[in-house]
Amino acid sequence: MDENPTLQKAASPLRRSLPGWLIALTLTTFTFSTDDYLVAGVLPGIADDLDVSEAAVGQLVTVFSLVLALAAPVASVLTATWPRRPLFTVALAVFAAANFAMPLVASFPVLMTLRVAAALAAAIVVPGALGAAAALAPPERQGRYMGTVFAGLTTSLLLGVPLGTWVGAVAGWQGAFVLGGLLGVASLAALYATLPEPPRGEALRLADRLTPLARPALLVGLAATAVAVLGNLMVVTYLAVYLRDLAGVGPTGLGVIFVLAGAAGIAGSQLGGPAADRWGAERALLMGCGAFALVMLGLVACWPLRPAPLVLVVPLLLLWSAAAWWIPPAASARLLRLAGPAGAQALALNSSAVYLGVAAGGAVGGVLLDVYGSGALPAGAAAAQLVALALFGLASRRATQGKP
């Protein structure tokens, strides 16, 4: 049987550049991640124009994340046998249309409905993009390729969110959503032009797709992912408050730190995937979670030095961002190994775990902030990461003992 020519090219040691379809998948995750955060940069304008509270507008982000988390596993099962290229094309067309329609509405409930439509498209495409990257990658580069797709998420923090905020300042909140629609069109065109149809797995009954997802080792690993993300978002959500209290960082300095942290996160995602390929997913997870916890403890040690010197704080923040984004490619590679033929569904559940961790991280971090102050955030994040590390270890032991 003839091999996929795209796989042959990607596997060739002479081919140094990334395949076009991988760049297109990365652009797609960048698009959806940027769109998820666009609201944060234009929130006051939406509230003023539609005559609703800023707290209500903030629920656009919450609803987007929750819809994605709940819909991704269902969409993955329902579309398991559908060809990827037409599926992605339709979903991205819906996503782009929803964004282009937002400037035309004058009612908050209609705006919320359009965000739900965009989130449903994301629930189909985001885990599907990771699954396509894993299916098309040479076996020895699976972690590396998934890490590249994850880089689209981190790049959105570095480029996409600031760009959306700037467009919103120049063209209003409507312009920011038009930007989201244009990114959707660009992603659609790039995927349509470059993405080969990923190889189909064996035909499975619905029960065969769902049974592997009930394995304790897999479920414990998903819980570990959610807890790891929770620990990260405890710090990300309230980083402005923490750095103001720790080192007197203002808006300008915060912007610079976010850019540097985004660059470090991209590096982490690019290193975490190859680490999983070379040393195994479990060892890579141990390294990432352990480094995250150590960095958080380093920030705890900085608290008594207030105002702490930035020359000490900034390197720790860069290591934190790199460690946080080192983890997802390794966690995804581990899930794929455990799920076997249900890999696509496992990745969808992983997306759900990530977004639930995002929501929980903001909530738990808010409680710590209110009760103990911002200085408690790194300690809470370190504790969460150690719990995640223990859960990953438990899942690995069960798998090793033949109790997947």
Side-chain angles (χ1 to χ4, degrees):
M1 182 174 62
D2 291 340
E3 295 183 6
N4 189 311
T6 303
L7 295 183
Q8 290 178 332
K9 291 181 181 179
S12 172
L14 299 177
R15 185 176 175 85
R16 299 297 182 186
S17 60
L18 295 175
W21 57 262
L22 183 60
I23 297 172
L25 290 172
T26 305
L27 172 63
T28 301
T29 57
F30 169 83
T31 293
F32 282 108
S33 184
T34 298
D35 187 74
D36 191 13
Y37 294 113
L38 277 179
V39 174
V42 295
L43 189 149
I46 298 175
D48 290 342
D49 283 0
L50 300 185
D51 196 24
V52 294
S53 69
E54 292 184 349
V57 176
Q59 298 313 303
L60 292 172
V61 177
T62 302
V63 168
F64 188 100
S65 297
L66 288 178
V67 168
L68 197 157
L70 295 174
V74 178
S76 178
V77 171
L78 292 178
T79 64
T81 60
W82 297 12
R84 298 293 98 176
R85 288 187 69 200
L87 177 64
F88 290 172
T89 298
V90 172
L92 279 164
V94 170
F95 169 81
N99 275 278
F100 286 139
M102 286 180 193
L104 305 178
V105 306
S107 164
F108 184 72
V110 175
L111 195 68
M112 180 69 80
T113 301
L114 291 171
R115 290 305 284 166
V116 169
L120 290 173
I124 292 172
V125 178
V126 172
L130 289 168
L136 290 168
E140 72 278 5
R141 292 192 176 186
Q142 190 176 72
R144 181 188 300 271
Y145 278 29
M146 285 194 293
T148 300
V149 176
F150 271 112
L153 304 179
T154 52
T155 306
S156 72
L157 297 176
L158 179 63
L159 298 177
V161 175
L163 178 61
T165 303
W166 177 79
V167 170
V170 173
W173 63 269
Q174 296 91 340
F177 285 114
V178 169
L179 171 65
L182 291 173
L183 287 172
V185 171
S187 298
L188 190 159
L191 287 179
Y192 190 82
T194 64
L195 184 69
E197 185 62 33
R200 300 280 187 91
E202 56 182 304
L204 297 175
R205 298 175 303 159
L206 179 61
D208 295 329
R209 293 188 182 278
L210 297 179
T211 299
L213 305 181
R215 294 173 179 169
L218 190 146
L219 294 176
V220 172
L222 289 172
T225 295
V227 174
V229 173
L230 181 153
N232 187 34
L233 266 292
M234 286 170 62
V235 178
V236 171
T237 306
Y238 304 102
L239 186 62
V241 178
Y242 174 72
L243 289 179
R244 180 200 65 199
D245 296 344
L246 175 66
V249 176
T252 301
L254 184 65
V256 173
I257 289 174
F258 264 117
V259 169
L260 294 175
I266 293 172
S269 68
Q270 291 297 286
L271 294 173
D277 292 335
R278 178 173 299 181
W279 299 310
E282 281 76 11
R283 186 174 297 179
L285 286 170
L286 173 66
M287 296 167 66
C289 293
F292 187 110
L294 287 174
V295 170
M296 289 298 109
L297 293 176
L299 290 175
V300 170
C302 290
W303 190 251
L305 305 177
R306 300 188 309 279
L310 287 178
V311 69
L312 178 62
V313 173
V314 171
L316 289 173
L317 292 175
L318 300 185
L319 289 172
W320 152 63
S321 183
W325 285 98
W326 170 291
I327 296 169
S332 297
R334 177 191 169 279
L335 271 180
L336 285 173
R337 192 190 73 240
L338 289 177
Q345 288 71 49
L347 287 175
L349 283 175
N350 191 59
S351 295
S352 298
V354 167
Y355 277 91
L356 290 175
V358 169
V364 174
V367 171
L368 284 179
L369 182 65
D370 288 341
V371 176
Y372 300 106
S374 63
L377 294 173
Q385 211 61 220
L386 291 174
V387 170
L389 187 58
L391 289 172
F392 277 127
L394 174 62
S396 297
R397 284 195 298 274
R398 292 190 66 89
T400 302
Q401 295 168 1
K403 301 176 182 180

